[in-house]
Amino acid sequence: MDRSKAPKKKRRKGMAAAAAAKLPRAYEEQEHVPAAVEPAHFISLDYAEPSPIMVGFQKGWRTLKRTLKIGAVVALVGLYPAAMVITSHINDKPVFIPTEQSWAVPGIAVAIHKIARELEGAGWAANRPVWHPQARLTALPAWQAGTADALSQHVKLISELSPWEGAPDNDLAAAARLLTEVPGESMRPRLTAAAEALNRFDTRASRGLAMRPMPEEIMPEELALFAGWAAEDRAALSDRINAVQEGGWPASKDDIAAFYRAKARAHVAHEMFVANRDKAYTLSDTAILVAADRVDAAWERAAEMKPVFVSNQSDSAMLMPNHLASMAYFLLEAEEASRHLASLMGPGAEDEIIEETSVAQADAELATAQR
C-alpha cells in the first residue's frame, strides 16, 4: 500500500465531515426551510358572515351589563330615600282591645296598647343613630313625642284620681315619669318599664288592692285635660301659621312638627274618651249623650287628618290647603265640645242637664211633628 495516498484519504474524510456539519447551518442561513402551505378551503373563511345567534347574544349581553350598571346606580341613590318612606309609617288606627282581655281601667288598656304599637311598629325614631333613615324624619318623631307626652299627662291624672293613703298610686306615678321623654336617653327601656308599671296597677285594681276610679269619675277630669291640650296646640299652630314662610316649601319642619304633635294628642284624647264612654254605663241623660257624640266626632276629625304633604300655605294659595289652619279649627270644635260636656258632667250641673234635656226633647218633638 502506498503510504503517500493515506494522508490524502484522511484529508478527504475530514473535509466531508466538516461539510456535513455545516450543511444545516447553511440551509438555515439561506432560508431553505420550506414554508407551510395553507389549504385552499380555508380561504373562504375570509368572506364568511357572523352567526345571527351569536350577534344577538352579544348585543343582549351588552344590554344586560348596561342595565345592571344603571340599576346599581339607581338602587344606591334611591335606597336611602325609599327606606325613609318605608320607616315613616304613622299608625293612627283606632286602638282595638280584644274582647278576651279584661281591664279594670279602660285608659290603662289604651295606654299599654299605644306603647306596644310604637315600640313594635316603627320603633322610637328620636333614638336612632345619625345614619339611620328615621333620623332624617320630622313627622314620626313629633307624633311619638306628642303621644308620650299625652299618655304621661293622662296617666298622671289617673294616679291623682286613684290615691292610696293620701298619695297618688306609686305605679301610676312611676309610669307617668317614665313616659316623659328625656333628651339623649333611650325611650325603649323607659316605655317598657312604664307598660309594666301600668299593668301592675291594673292587676292590683282588678283584685281590689288599689283604688279604681270609675269612668264617670275620670271623664269630667280628662275632658278638662283634653280641652287644655286643644288650647295649647291651637296656640302652637297659630304661631306657625303666622310665621314667615321661607324657602318656598309648602311647610317647614317646625310646621310639620306642630301639626303631628297636635294630631298625636288628638288621637290619644279620642281613644281615651271612647274607651271611658263605652264603659260608663250610668250615662243615660239625653243631653250628656248628645254632647258625648259631639265630643267623639270633633276629636275624631282632628285625629284622622292624614295629608300626604303637610301644607302651610297662605289663604291665597290655589293648589294646596292650609292643613295647620284646618287642624286648629277642628281643635277649637273639640275644645268647645269637651268643655261643654265636662260642665254637664261636673258637680252642680243638674239644672243645666235638665235644661239641655228639655231642649233636646223639644227639638225631637218638633222634628216628629214636622214629619
Side-chain angles (χ1 to χ4, degrees):
M1 182 176 182
D2 190 356
R3 294 182 178 178
S4 60
K5 294 181 180 179
K8 292 182 180 179
K9 290 182 179 180
K10 290 180 180 181
R11 286 196 299 270
R12 290 176 183 173
K13 290 181 180 181
M15 294 175 62
K22 293 181 179 180
L23 183 61
R25 183 175 179 182
Y27 270 89
E28 291 177 0
E29 292 177 352
Q30 297 177 7
E31 295 182 356
H32 288 171
V33 179
V37 180
E38 186 177 359
H41 61 274
F42 283 110
I43 298 176
S44 60
L45 293 178
D46 295 336
Y47 308 97
E49 296 181 358
S51 172
I53 297 176
M54 295 304 297
V55 172
F57 178 77
Q58 292 175 352
K59 290 182 179 179
W61 177 246
R62 288 195 296 267
T63 304
L64 178 61
K65 290 194 297 183
R66 190 182 303 111
T67 304
L68 291 176
K69 293 178 181 179
I70 296 174
V73 173
V74 172
L76 292 175
V77 173
L79 183 61
Y80 198 84
M84 291 176 58
V85 174
I86 294 173
T87 59
S88 65
H89 175 66
I90 291 176
N91 191 347
D92 58 354
K93 295 181 180 179
V95 176
F96 173 73
I97 307 299
T99 54
E100 63 272 11
Q101 295 183 6
S102 178
W103 295 91
V105 182
I108 300 299
V110 173
I112 291 178
H113 278 76
K114 287 281 290 180
I115 292 172
R117 175 183 290 186
E118 296 301 328
L119 290 180
E120 303 303 326
W124 206 258
N127 296 140
R128 300 296 191 185
V130 294
W131 54 265
H132 198 278
Q134 285 187 344
R136 311 272 78 82
L137 301 178
T138 303
L140 183 61
W143 162 270
Q144 292 178 339
T147 300
D149 178 65
L151 292 178
S152 175
Q153 294 186 36
H154 193 271
V155 170
K156 182 180 179 182
L157 174 64
I158 299 178
S159 70
E160 295 172 352
L161 297 175
S162 309
W164 185 260
E165 297 181 353
D169 186 86
N170 292 331
D171 283 331
L172 293 180
R177 291 193 302 269
L178 290 168
L179 287 168
T180 303
E181 192 171 13
V182 178
E185 186 172 344
S186 178
M187 280 296 290
R188 175 172 285 273
R190 295 179 63 89
L191 293 175
T192 303
E196 293 174 353
L198 292 173
N199 188 57
R200 283 196 305 269
F201 166 78
D202 194 84
T203 302
R204 290 190 293 107
S206 63
R207 296 176 180 177
L209 302 176
M211 294 293 294
R212 181 175 66 173
M214 301 305 293
E216 293 84 356
E217 301 173 3
I218 299 176
M219 289 179 66
E221 301 296 334
E222 73 174 3
L223 286 170
L225 177 64
F226 297 161
W229 292 352
E232 293 175 4
D233 292 333
R234 281 195 305 107
L237 292 170
S238 178
D239 291 341
R240 295 311 312 162
I241 293 171
N242 297 325
V244 178
Q245 299 297 321
E246 299 178 354
W249 295 98
S252 65
K253 289 187 176 182
D254 293 333
D255 299 336
I256 298 172
F259 177 87
Y260 276 97
R261 178 180 173 83
K263 174 182 170 65
R265 299 215 290 188
H267 188 267
V268 172
H270 179 254
E271 296 303 321
M272 291 294 183
F273 175 78
V274 171
N276 282 314
R277 184 196 61 180
D278 293 344
K279 297 296 182 181
Y281 300 114
T282 62
L283 296 182
S284 58
D285 295 294
T286 304
I288 290 181
L289 295 177
V290 172
D293 291 339
R294 181 185 172 194
V295 171
D296 182 7
W299 282 111
E300 186 177 13
R301 281 194 294 269
E304 288 185 348
M305 283 195 66
K306 189 186 294 184
V308 178
F309 299 103
V310 175
S311 173
N312 185 21
Q313 300 296 292
S314 62
D315 296 337
S316 60
M318 299 179 61
L319 297 179
M320 301 185 69
N322 194 317
H323 295 111
L324 273 65
S326 300
M327 176 64 77
Y329 175 76
F330 292 150
L331 291 177
L332 177 61
E333 287 190 333
E335 179 185 356
E336 294 177 349
S338 298
R339 295 191 187 279
H340 177 61
L341 180 57
S343 66
L344 293 180
M345 298 184 66
E350 290 80 4
D351 297 336
E352 189 174 357
I353 291 176
I354 294 174
E355 182 181 355
E356 292 286 343
T357 304
S358 61
V359 172
Q361 291 177 351
D363 293 340
E365 292 176 358
L366 180 60
T368 303
Q370 290 177 351
R371 291 179 182 176

